[in-house]
Amino acid sequence: MGPIKRHDETLSAYRFRYARYCLKWAGGLLLLPVTLVAFAPLAGELPAFAWFFIGFVMLFGVGGALLAAFGFAIGGWAGSVSNRFPAVDGVSRWIGALLGCLLIAALAAFSWHALIQAVQTHQIWTLQRHDSHLVQFAQSPVAFSTSIAFHCVIALGIPGWLLRELLTGRLARRIDARASKRSID
């Protein structure tokens, strides 16, 4: 799925082409909720599941496609600069790793926020089949415990993994290994 790198194509040109591909996906996915909202007056009020679907598509579908397009565009730009200036290649690898760490930190911060709110208010947002809503332990112990466990894994597991990778030096070796693989391509 997606563009395939041609043999005579530079890595930066391929990344720019992939960024355009991601923008096309973002535009296509944006049409789904816009169409649903546009035709809502004809069908009456939208149910809660439709609003959840709109939020899910907008956040993960369109947001993910735009984030990927941005990342591939930055990667294409960094590739074109590193082709002209080889010394920049090492810096661009570390910038990419830093952006990845920031994304992981934002995800962990959201989970920490959800856990703190759950401790303070004794309720947490949970996703179920038909809608998302606040749930209390007394109301639904399984849903409450599942959401707490999910956020604990995200809030503690991801930063713990990242810290272990940084302290053991594995992250630096992985970045260098990917860079040497890219230079072969």
Side-chain angles (χ1 to χ4, degrees):
M1 182 172 200
I4 297 172
K5 187 175 181 294
R6 294 185 291 253
H7 294 291
D8 61 340
E9 186 177 34
T10 63
L11 189 58
S12 60
Y14 169 69
R15 287 179 179 162
F16 281 128
R17 199 160 50 91
Y18 216 104
R20 287 191 303 273
Y21 171 78
C22 292
L23 284 175
K24 289 177 191 174
W25 264 101
L29 288 173
L30 191 60
L31 288 177
L32 283 170
V34 167
T35 305
L36 191 60
V37 170
F39 288 113
L42 300 176
E45 189 173 327
L46 288 174
F49 180 75
W51 286 111
F52 174 74
F53 174 74
I54 289 170
F56 185 79
V57 167
M58 294 298 285
L59 179 66
F60 291 109
V62 176
L66 289 175
L67 185 64
F70 177 73
F72 278 112
I74 293 293
W77 173 78
S80 66
V81 169
S82 67
N83 286 343
R84 285 181 257 150
F85 307 104
V88 177
D89 189 36
V91 174
S92 65
R93 286 191 320 248
W94 287 101
I95 289 174
L98 179 65
L99 289 175
C101 290
L102 289 176
L103 182 66
I104 288 173
L107 184 64
F110 171 75
S111 286
W112 275 108
H113 170 72
L115 287 171
I116 291 169
Q117 287 295 104
V119 168
Q120 289 176 346
T121 63
H122 304 289
Q123 56 187 4
I124 193 166
W125 280 98
T126 185
L127 296 175
Q128 292 184 346
R129 282 194 182 148
H130 302 292
D131 62 345
S132 63
H133 60 279
L134 284 170
V135 71
Q136 295 179 341
F137 182 78
Q139 179 186 5
S140 178
V142 173
F144 185 85
S145 301
T146 303
S147 293
I148 290 288
F150 172 77
H151 285 294
C152 281
V153 167
I154 299 293
L156 299 172
I158 290 178
W161 170 82
L162 185 61
L163 187 62
R164 185 191 74 192
E165 293 290 310
L166 289 172
L167 291 177
T168 60
R170 288 187 203 165
L171 189 62
R173 288 192 299 271
R174 285 183 185 178
I175 293 169
D176 290 336
R178 285 186 182 158
S180 63
K181 183 181 176 186
R182 285 184 192 150
S183 65
I184 294 170
D185 291 340

